[in-house]
Amino acid sequence: MRRRDLILAGCATLLPHARAHARPWAQSRWTFDKPSSTIELNLNALGQTRRGRFSDWAGSIVFDASAPSRTRASVTVQAASLRLSPSMGTDRAIGPDFLDAARYPTIRFELTSVEPVEGDRYTAGANVTMKGRTRPVTFPVDLSTSGATARLTGAFTVNRADFGIGSGPWNRMVGRQATVRFNLLARQA
């Protein structure tokens, strides 16, 4: 028997034994409860903090309550759904000089890692895509569970210039840093 065949035969013999002793991965799909969740944006414009909320978004989450570090989530936000307070800056924010929602209708968030810190506190890693550019972000997040519900809360800051956001006469009057805050409730599917 050739060495390659011997190795393959050995692997074939061990594989059923390994499967019988492997811990089943308890990951399951969860769904976001949108009425109980928020995705918000804060930035400085004209010397004041402007707050906004995205109303149209969808996402999915795969979660294992016994091993939160395996959590993966994906959220797609409709850029045109941003509403600022006060509302007078909304059209400008979603217009061609900033988010350009007509040409780039979606903002994507892909959670790639969740590392434990202490208790319900974690450090998360994600990829954020806006205006066709993807950038990694790392940020603190709280992940708590209670029965068949899980809550994921946190915030991260991006430099809007990294995504090509901002041009025209209003660009200098808007701060470079924008903070995205989220409070997401998920229920086991």
Side-chain angles (χ1 to χ4, degrees):
M1 187 179 264
R2 292 188 342 214
R3 181 176 180 200
R4 181 179 147 260
D5 294 334
L6 185 61
I7 292 171
L8 290 174
C11 289
T13 302
L14 293 175
L15 189 58
H17 180 71
R19 281 190 192 145
H21 290 48
R23 178 186 177 274
W25 200 6
Q27 268 191 332
S28 60
R29 291 216 171 266
W30 294 58
T31 57
F32 288 114
D33 180 344
K34 284 181 61 175
S36 301
S37 301
T38 57
I39 301 174
E40 299 175 334
L41 173 76
N42 294 341
L43 57 90
N44 289 319
L46 303 170
Q48 297 179 354
T49 298
R50 306 291 176 170
R51 298 188 194 309
R53 181 175 281 188
F54 292 97
S55 61
D56 188 3
W57 58 273
S60 63
I61 184 167
V62 177
F63 177 67
D64 177 353
S66 66
S69 63
R70 294 181 180 161
T71 300
R72 295 297 177 265
S74 163
V75 176
T76 301
V77 176
Q78 298 303 312
S81 75
L82 176 64
R83 296 296 174 260
L84 291 176
S85 177
S87 63
M88 68 182 186
T90 297
D91 289 342
R92 208 166 273 116
I94 63 175
D97 289 340
F98 289 93
L99 288 177
D100 198 0
R103 285 185 41 200
Y104 302 97
T106 60
I107 299 168
R108 296 239 344 129
F109 173 88
E110 295 284 336
L111 186 67
T112 57
S113 66
V114 180
E115 298 300 325
V117 174
E118 180 181 348
D120 291 343
R121 305 196 81 204
Y122 297 84
T123 298
N127 289 322
V128 176
T129 303
M130 290 188 282
K131 292 186 77 172
R133 297 181 186 183
T134 301
R135 300 291 184 265
V137 293
T138 303
F139 53 96
V141 66
D142 291 334
L143 175 59
S144 59
T145 61
S146 177
T149 63
R151 182 159 302 273
L152 186 68
T153 58
F156 58 89
T157 301
V158 295
N159 182 334
R160 63 184 176 80
D162 290 344
F163 297 93
I165 297 173
S167 64
W170 293 96
N171 189 40
R172 289 188 208 152
M173 297 178 208
V174 178
R176 293 269 183 196
Q177 305 300 312
T179 301
V180 176
R181 296 185 189 287
F182 56 89
N183 184 345
L184 306 174
L185 180 69
R187 298 186 190 284
Q188 194 165 18

